[in-house]
Amino acid sequence: MKIIVLVKQVPGTDSVKLDPVTGVMVRTGKDTIINPLDENALAEAIRIKNTYPDVKITAVSMGPISAMKAIKEAIAMGADDGVLVSGREFAGSDTIATAKVIAAAIKKTGDFDMILCGERATDGETGQTAAMIAHYLGVPAQTYVSALEVLEDGVIVKRTVESGFERVQVTFPVLVSVNKDISDTGFPTLDGKLKAKKVEVPMLGNAELGFDKSELGLTGSPTRVVKIFSPKLSRDTIMVKANATMQPIDELMSFLVQKDVL
Amino acid sequence: MSMYVNCSIAEAKNLSEFKGVFILGEQRDGKIQAVTFELLTWGRGIADDLGCELACVLLGDEIENLDEVILRGADKVFFIQDPIFKNFLTQPYSNAITRLVNEEKPEVIIAGATTTGRTVMPLVAAKTNTGLTADCTELTVDPDTKLLLQTRPAIGGNIMATIKTPDTRPQMATVRPRSAKQSPVDTSRTGQIIVKNYAGATTMTVEKFLEFIIDTTQAVSIEEADIIIAGGKGMKNAAGFKLIEELAELMGAAVGATRDAVELGWSTYPHQVGLSGKTVSPKLIIAAGIAGKIQFLAGMQTSDVIVAINKDPEAQIFKVADFGIVGDVFEVMPMLIETVKKIKASA
Ligand SMILES: Cc1cc2nc3c(=O)[nH]c(=O)nc-3n(C[C@H](O)[C@H](O)[C@H](O)COP(=O)(O)OP(=O)(O)OC[C@H]3O[C@@H](n4cnc5c(N)ncnc54)[C@H](O)[C@@H]3O)c2cc1C
Ligand SMILES: Nc1ncnc2c1ncn2[C@@H]1O[C@H](COP(=O)(O)O)[C@@H](O)[C@H]1O
């Protein structure tokens, strides 16, 4: 069985601070990490590999050359190999344009049974790319998956939805986007680290994928950002100190009544 | 496996052919879900600004009270009816919606940023080769260009971005549940219900729906709740976190938790609010024992009224709070619970 895991490189949010005055995020480091939910997807792939020995895991990432780091990390954690999709033409792509490129790159790597990826990334937070990739590959997308059971010819997924869970059975090939409940993220192993050093990770650029330039980057993106602004973060806060009396609570209650929320 | 579809967005689409606003309603067990009525509020406003019709699209087998959608603002209902649509399945849903979009050519489509909307809309966008903006908190019509301006939080909620889809149609967006009030019933309204039967290729799928399991711990779903009581590491332990649950139950509220509280096992992931959890926007959220780290704030700072209880007066949560109580949660929460009990008893 061949599993593709999509790993997106995102800014490490641990080093992000909030400017209390402007409400803007200040990146204090240049560190990048694998999108946390993609690590969960990778962990699930590894769990499956541990149960079914003939599983091969390929990590695919689209991004600048530095995204190689994400692929090497994925290999260190247990992926067998990887593919980096990189090229200047791809910069500025919105989700549709990104999905087309990633789908084309996956096609290049041959047949697969399952694509595992995160339900959304912490940077763009659109959570759209996965389903779009599924479309361009002509496979069904199962989203928000918190548990997965491998069958002979497909999988049963448990989707976490608004008021409960849905169980859906689907045949291979399939794309599955996961949430945090799926499998706990793992750690790099010594073997994996050695392998990550040795393995040659091929790069795919537009020379290999052959898109018309008009389909890529900004020109290939139907959406346009027209304005960026800071939301008003600080509110006019009424502050009270708790004391042994009921007075602060009473004040809160009348505030809530006045705001029409009780 | 099917063919890789490769067509360019530059392909000229006759934009003026596209008219009308669609909203994508949702049903479960044949009952129209509240998010549908919020979408009607958005849709009605946009349709009025554009001077066009508003249609509500619903997929299902049997659906109760279809008329209500008209009374709440739709001019038309497209009811795509088939047993396969009883439950959400990505292939039949996205195929059927795409088919309707190709037949009717709406200018704008709005869906909820729910698990369903956020799954099916990317598929429809890809199939119709147009843009989609996820998770909007505001939609307006540009008075000059008549384009839909789609505003959404980005980078962990620290920046708002306004996005448009100038050259392709439909213009598509998902909007956060609770970002608008439910459209009220107006019994004088009339409209048309059009039943679509798409049996055949459209309904074919390799997916099989097995079952829906209600999550009893999500008696009130956090994304749809009017009120959320959220707890963090300051609740000390699982027993302390029970105070959150107790107040929530009393107030008919949903329970929210920080990542730390979930990781410590005091609550479960469906309750996690924040960057790697759910984005919520209730009328009221009470945050107790929560520091207010940026990743948490990203998931809740658009809430209408924010109340914070923290013993540290410098805690960042107070920056976004409308009402802050500096104090020990183990003192304040029991008092709050008592007060709510009293109010309920006297009501
Ligand atoms: C990529 C990434 C994604 C993340 N996603 C999320 C996410 O989705 N959601 C999320 O919540 N976090 C997320 N985090 C983690 C986030 O950075 C914080 O670690 C987390 O929100 C802190 O949770 P907390 O406020 O419960 O705990 P703490 O930071 O430990 O804060 C506890 C607070 O309780 C107060 N307190 C303690 N005792 C008492 C008492 N007796 N009475 C009153 N107050 C008391 C303290 O003053 C303190 O302010 C993410 C982090 C990363 C790196
Ligand atoms: N550039 C990328 N490279 C690899 N995977 C990606 C990329 N963009 C998105 N993905 C995958 O799609 C998921 C959803 O991303 P997003 O739509 O950006 O929220 C991520 O968790 C990744 O698994």
Side-chain angles (χ1 to χ4, degrees), chain B residues 96-138:
Chain B
I97 296 166
T98 304
R99 186 163 157 189
L100 183 69
V101 167
N102 288 335
E103 285 172 11
E104 297 293 326
K105 300 198 173 23
E107 190 174 358
V108 170
I109 312 178
I110 305 158
T114 57
T115 54
T116 298
R118 290 184 71 152
T119 301
V120 79
M121 290 289 273
L123 292 168
V124 175
K127 281 171 197 272
T128 56
N129 220 7
T130 188
L132 168 63
T133 305
D135 223 6
C136 297
T137 50
E138 205 185 309

Side-chain angles (χ1 to χ4, degrees), chain A residues 18 120 143 169 215 229 235, chain B residues 6 119 158 160 208 277 303:
Chain A
L18 191 71
R120 64 179 145 150
T143 51
Q169 183 173 341
E215 294 178 77
F229 57 100
R235 302 189 181 200
Chain B
N6 188 353
T119 301
N158 290 290
M160 302 297 287
K208 194 167 130 201
S303 306

Side-chain angles (χ1 to χ4, degrees), chain A residues 13-14 16-18 20 22-25 27 36-37 94-96 99-101 103-104 107 111-112 119-120 122-129 131-132 134-144 156 158-171 173 179-181 210-211 214-215 218-231 233-246 248-253 255-256 259-262, chain B residues 1-10 28 88-91 114-116 118-119 122-123 125-127 129-135 149 151-152 154-166 168 206-215 218 221 223-224 227 251 259 262-263 269-270 272 274-279 283-284 294-295 297 301-307 313 316 318-327 331-332 335-336 339-340 342-343:
Chain A
T13 8
D14 263 340
V16 166
K17 293 235 157 32
L18 191 71
T22 59
V24 168
M25 191 131 89
R27 296 216 164 105
L37 288 179
D94 72 355
T95 51
I96 281 255
K100 279 183 191 170
V101 171
K107 276 229 126 179
D111 287 342
F112 62 88
E119 166 259 292
R120 64 179 145 150
T122 52
D123 55 351
E125 276 186 86
T126 71
Q128 283 177 186
T129 317
M132 288 172 171
H135 162 74
Y136 288 116
L137 289 166
V139 306
Q142 295 303 320
T143 51
Y144 302 94
I156 293 177
K158 182 178 170 198
R159 304 181 63 232
T160 304
V161 300
E162 278 69 22
S163 48
F165 307 96
E166 290 179 351
R167 286 180 70 243
V168 177
Q169 183 173 341
V170 57
T171 52
N179 69 22
K180 217 174 73 171
D181 274 344
F211 280 95
S214 69
E215 294 178 77
L218 218 52
T219 43
S221 301
T223 55
R224 285 276 174 286
V225 176
V226 286
K227 189 171 82 179
I228 283 182
F229 57 100
S230 302
L233 181 58
S234 62
R235 302 189 181 200
D236 302 326
T237 315
I238 301 174
M239 290 289 268
V240 299
K241 258 209 174 72
N243 49 37
T245 74
M246 292 302 271
I249 305 289
D250 294 340
E251 267 180 53
L252 170 62
M253 286 299 162
F255 175 78
L256 295 180
K259 285 278 173 187
D260 201 21
V261 287
L262 274 195
Chain B
M1 256 174 58
S2 70
M3 293 285 294
Y4 170 64
V5 195
N6 188 353
C7 49
S8 158
I9 67 144
R28 176 165 301 278
F88 177 63
L89 287 174
T90 62
Q91 289 181 322
T114 57
T115 54
T116 298
R118 290 184 71 152
T119 301
L123 292 168
K127 281 171 197 272
N129 220 7
T130 188
L132 168 63
T133 305
D135 223 6
L149 300 177
T151 300
R152 68 171 304 236
I155 323 186
N158 290 290
I159 285 179
M160 302 297 287
T162 300
I163 291 159
K164 63 180 182 186
T165 312
T168 58
V206 296
E207 304 161 287
K208 194 167 130 201
F209 192 89
L210 301 179
E211 61 178 333
F212 174 68
I213 308 160
I214 290 187
D215 180 2
Q218 288 190 73
S221 128
E223 282 151 304
E224 279 164 39
I227 303 178
M251 297 180 73
R259 187 173 85 169
V262 170
E263 271 169 10
Y269 179 60
Q272 183 176 320
L275 196 56
S276 46
K278 300 257 171 70
T279 303
K283 287 190 189 135
L284 168 65
I294 176 68
Q295 295 88 358
L297 299 185
Q301 65 189 12
T302 57
S303 306
D304 286 352
V305 175
I306 299 174
V307 174
Q316 184 161 258
F318 289 128
K319 295 219 165 67
V320 300
D322 299 286
F323 197 102
I325 301 182
V326 180
E331 190 184 313
V332 177
M335 287 167 122
L336 195 52
T339 306
V340 173
K342 266 195 213 126
I343 294 174

Side-chain angles (χ1 to χ4, degrees), chain B residues 38-316:
Chain B
E38 298 165 22
L39 291 168
L40 285 170
T41 300
W42 282 117
R44 190 68 261 168
I46 293 161
D48 290 345
D49 284 349
L50 291 172
C52 66
E53 278 193 337
L54 171 64
C56 172
V57 181
L58 275 159
L59 294 85
D61 183 11
E62 302 291 333
I63 298 182
E64 297 165 23
N65 300 330
L66 269 180
D67 281 348
E68 187 174 350
V69 176
I70 290 171
L71 301 183
R72 287 182 188 263
D75 301 308
K76 267 186 196 158
V77 180
F78 290 106
F79 176 27
I80 311 181
Q81 188 174 28
D82 194 280
I84 193 86
F85 298 129
K86 187 170 188 308
N87 293 293
F88 177 63
L89 287 174
T90 62
Q91 289 181 322
Y93 265 63
S94 62
N95 287 340
I97 296 166
T98 304
R99 186 163 157 189
L100 183 69
V101 167
N102 288 335
E103 285 172 11
E104 297 293 326
K105 300 198 173 23
E107 190 174 358
V108 170
I109 312 178
I110 305 158
T114 57
T115 54
T116 298
R118 290 184 71 152
T119 301
V120 79
M121 290 289 273
L123 292 168
V124 175
K127 281 171 197 272
T128 56
N129 220 7
T130 188
L132 168 63
T133 305
D135 223 6
C136 297
T137 50
E138 205 185 309
L139 295 175
T140 53
V141 173
D142 184 328
D144 302 325
T145 60
K146 296 287 175 199
L147 285 172
L148 183 70
L149 300 177
Q150 310 146 33
T151 300
R152 68 171 304 236
I155 323 186
N158 290 290
I159 285 179
M160 302 297 287
T162 300
I163 291 159
K164 63 180 182 186
T165 312
D167 304 320
T168 58
R169 293 292 179 273
Q171 306 167 79
M172 308 205 335
T174 60
V175 293
R176 284 194 187 177
R178 308 223 64 86
S179 54
K181 296 220 177 335
Q182 295 186 15
S183 181
V185 171
D186 171 356
T187 47
S188 69
R189 286 190 52 85
T190 55
Q192 203 186 352
I193 296 176
I194 300 153
V195 179
K196 293 274 178 184
N197 185 316
Y198 286 161
T202 307
T203 55
M204 295 230 268
T205 177
V206 296
E207 304 161 287
K208 194 167 130 201
F209 192 89
L210 301 179
E211 61 178 333
F212 174 68
I213 308 160
I214 290 187
D215 180 2
T216 44
T217 71
Q218 288 190 73
V220 188
S221 128
I222 154 165
E223 282 151 304
E224 279 164 39
D226 277 333
I227 303 178
I228 295 173
I229 315 296
K233 225 166 135 186
M235 300 311 297
K236 287 271 164 354
N237 48 40
F241 200 84
K242 288 267 182 302
L243 287 171
I244 299 289
E245 286 162 7
E246 194 182 341
L247 182 59
E249 205 187 315
L250 270 174
M251 297 180 73
V255 171
T258 64
R259 187 173 85 169
D260 291 49
V262 170
E263 271 169 10
L264 289 162
W266 307 344
S267 187
T268 56
Y269 179 60
H271 296 271
Q272 183 176 320
V273 173
L275 196 56
S276 46
K278 300 257 171 70
T279 303
V280 299
S281 195
K283 287 190 189 135
L284 168 65
I285 184 165
I286 301 181
I290 292 177
K293 297 279 161 55
I294 176 68
Q295 295 88 358
F296 177 79
L297 299 185
M300 50 69 79
Q301 65 189 12
T302 57
S303 306
D304 286 352
V305 175
I306 299 174
V307 174
I309 308 167
N310 196 307
K311 65 178 182 190
D312 172 10
E314 298 300 316
Q316 184 161 258

